[in-house]
mmCIF file of all heavy atoms in Angstrom:
data_model
loop_
_atom_site.group_PDB
_atom_site.id
_atom_site.type_symbol
_atom_site.label_atom_id
_atom_site.label_comp_id
_atom_site.label_asym_id
_atom_site.label_seq_id
_atom_site.Cartn_x
_atom_site.Cartn_y
_atom_site.Cartn_z
ATOM 1 N N CYS S 1034 -6.940 14.005 -7.767
ATOM 2 C CA CYS S 1034 -8.153 13.516 -8.393
ATOM 3 C C CYS S 1034 -9.192 14.607 -8.519
ATOM 4 O O CYS S 1034 -9.139 15.589 -7.805
ATOM 5 C CB CYS S 1034 -8.723 12.293 -7.570
ATOM 6 S SG CYS S 1034 -9.310 12.715 -6.002
ATOM 7 N N ASP S 1042 -18.606 -0.920 2.477
ATOM 8 C CA ASP S 1042 -18.914 -2.252 2.832
ATOM 9 C C ASP S 1042 -19.496 -2.176 4.238
ATOM 10 O O ASP S 1042 -18.881 -1.787 5.233
ATOM 11 C CB ASP S 1042 -17.517 -2.962 2.884
ATOM 12 C CG ASP S 1042 -17.631 -4.426 3.229
ATOM 13 O OD1 ASP S 1042 -18.681 -4.876 3.855
ATOM 14 O OD2 ASP S 1042 -16.769 -5.212 2.864
ATOM 15 N N ALA S 1053 -27.864 -5.949 9.534
ATOM 16 C CA ALA S 1053 -28.148 -7.006 8.547
ATOM 17 C C ALA S 1053 -26.995 -7.172 7.564
ATOM 18 O O ALA S 1053 -27.161 -6.847 6.398
ATOM 19 C CB ALA S 1053 -29.430 -6.753 7.845
ATOM 20 N N ALA S 1064 -22.862 5.074 13.106
ATOM 21 C CA ALA S 1064 -23.625 5.792 12.115
ATOM 22 C C ALA S 1064 -23.159 7.229 12.126
ATOM 23 O O ALA S 1064 -22.964 7.784 10.993
ATOM 24 C CB ALA S 1064 -25.165 5.722 12.432
ATOM 25 N N MET S 1102 -29.018 2.775 5.032
ATOM 26 C CA MET S 1102 -28.522 2.979 3.648
ATOM 27 C C MET S 1102 -29.214 4.153 2.995
ATOM 28 O O MET S 1102 -28.571 4.919 2.274
ATOM 29 C CB MET S 1102 -28.749 1.627 2.894
ATOM 30 C CG MET S 1102 -27.794 0.589 3.262
ATOM 31 S SD MET S 1102 -27.827 -0.876 2.184
ATOM 32 C CE MET S 1102 -29.514 -1.246 1.907
#
Side-chain angles (χ1 to χ4, degrees):
C1034 66
D1042 186 335
M1102 289 189 311

